[in-house]
Amino acid sequence: RLFLQVGIPAHCVYAGLLPEEKAEIIKQLQANGSKVAMVGDGINDAAALATSDVGIAIRGGMDAAEDAAGVVLMGNKLGQVVEVIQLGKVTLGKIRQNLLWALGYNCVTIPLAAGALLPSLGITVSPSTAGAMMAFSSVAVVSNSLLLKNQVLGRRPANNFEQLGRKAGTTTGVQG
């Protein structure tokens, strides 16, 4: 009855399933428009891990599960699943920030370096200044990425799957 302790309603739990039944349930959930993350540790989970949108294997299980999964947890704590999902969301946000920064910066500085202001204002940028501007852009993106470490270390993970499920929109458990 672990599913009750982590906040998954009983009607959303599928237990005692064969490997192909697990994969079929995942396909049904996906057909209904759900994004499915599957957590498994054994060879009987490999098909479901491969079928899911995100396969998460628990380290120490069978190699087949680890090979089929997109993510392998280095510990054997189920709570790490919540941390992995939160880390993924924060990382995706940081990627978006970096893309926005680089796009905006390059939209301004590339025309400037190409001499866009030369005809109207007589302003030009030397090649060495243009190179320094590109280096600054790279340093800014890398520095922003390094801030991810502070965000992740200072963040408290959701305390259970129900809380995470509310954020994602749904919570379902498939237990083997």
Side-chain angles (χ1 to χ4, degrees):
R1 304 270 178 224
L2 176 64
F3 61 90
L4 293 174
Q5 293 174 1
V6 296
I8 299 174
H11 71 278
C12 293
V13 175
Y14 304 91
L17 301 175
L18 296 172
E20 57 274 4
E21 293 172 325
K22 293 177 188 181
E24 186 57 38
I25 287 180
I26 289 173
K27 288 177 187 174
Q28 289 172 5
L29 292 169
Q30 290 170 329
N32 291 334
S34 296
K35 297 291 183 192
V36 180
M38 168 69 185
V39 181
D41 66 348
I43 195 162
N44 62 336
D45 296 321
L49 288 167
T51 303
S52 64
D53 295 301
V54 179
I56 304 172
I58 297 176
R59 183 88 179 157
M62 298 298 293
D63 288 341
E66 292 177 20
D67 291 342
V71 176
V72 178
L73 301 177
M74 297 311 289
N76 61 357
K77 298 176 185 159
L78 201 54
Q80 289 176 315
V81 173
V82 176
E83 294 172 15
V84 164
I85 292 170
Q86 290 177 336
L87 176 62
K89 288 179 180 181
V90 172
T91 302
L92 191 58
K94 192 59 70 175
I95 290 169
R96 287 185 181 124
Q97 287 175 5
N98 286 339
L99 285 173
L100 184 64
W101 162 259
L103 178 66
Y105 188 82
N106 288 329
C107 283
V108 171
T109 58
I110 288 175
L112 185 64
L117 297 180
L118 184 59
S120 59
L121 300 175
I123 298 173
T124 185
V125 177
S126 70
S128 60
T129 303
M133 290 188 318
M134 288 305 294
F136 174 76
S137 174
S138 297
V139 168
V141 166
V142 169
S143 298
N144 189 36
S145 297
L146 291 174
L147 292 175
L148 180 64
K149 181 178 178 183
N150 295 335
Q151 283 181 307
V152 172
L153 290 178
R155 189 181 190 110
R156 289 190 55 212
N159 60 1
N160 63 34
F161 287 101
E162 181 180 13
Q163 183 180 3
L164 184 66
R166 265 185 271 147
K167 293 177 186 175
T170 183
T171 304
T172 303
V174 178
Q175 204 175 23

